[in-house]
Amino acid sequence: MKRYIETTSDQFDFLVEVFGVSPRKVRGALRFEAQYENSTSAKIRNLALQRGGKLKYVVEGEDAIFDSDGNYLQLFDNGAVIAISKVTGNAVLTYKGKIRAEVEKIRFSEISALQKAAREL
């Protein structure tokens, strides 16, 4: 999971001026980039948060839909779709209109493997 500190342009300019470093170094510190990790980076982040900066996280996610018939659909950013029937327990992974995997009576513990396969298409 990636994280960063969001600041206004005035806050950003203040950090550049106070620490006497380049804007790229401040940006790298606020994005937790490895090549900019040092004691100054920690101070930059601390002051940014004290002056109203917001710590944000970037997470991957997919849409999940439960329809009125009790079916589960999970839509992935790459176009893959997992459909699980509540009635039969069967799961189907499709990608670009083609069935890539089918699992009869899928177990809860098997869903994460199907999700991983969908993400990797």
Side-chain angles (χ1 to χ4, degrees):
M1 176 180 340
K2 293 182 183 180
R3 61 184 173 156
Y4 66 95
I5 297 173
E6 182 180 79
T7 63
T8 65
S9 59
D10 289 340
Q11 291 167 333
F12 183 87
D13 293 341
F14 176 80
L15 294 169
V16 170
E17 185 177 325
V18 165
F19 289 98
V21 296
S22 71
R24 179 65 197 119
K25 287 185 181 183
V26 171
R27 196 170 10 266
L30 296 177
R31 291 180 182 169
F32 295 85
E33 293 176 1
Q35 68 263 30
Y36 296 101
E37 279 305 309
N38 56 41
S39 60
T40 303
S41 295
K43 291 175 186 174
I44 290 170
R45 289 192 293 267
N46 189 33
L47 186 57
L49 292 170
Q50 287 177 10
R51 296 188 56 86
K54 306 280 188 225
L55 181 60
K56 303 277 182 148
Y57 291 89
V58 178
V59 295
E60 292 183 21
E62 295 88 19
D63 291 326
I65 302 166
F66 292 90
D67 67 15
S68 60
D69 295 325
N71 295 314
Y72 170 82
L73 295 172
Q74 189 168 10
L75 312 172
F76 294 83
D77 290 337
N78 63 1
V81 177
I82 294 176
I84 302 175
S85 169
K86 183 178 179 182
V87 175
T88 65
N90 295 341
V92 178
L93 168 60
T94 57
Y95 181 68
K96 295 186 177 180
K98 295 182 181 179
I99 295 174
R100 301 303 289 264
E102 290 183 84
V103 182
E104 289 186 20
K105 297 187 183 204
I106 193 165
R107 295 172 192 241
F108 186 76
S109 61
E110 298 170 321
I111 294 174
S112 62
L114 193 59
Q115 291 170 326
K116 184 177 186 287
R119 286 184 192 100
E120 292 174 352
L121 291 173

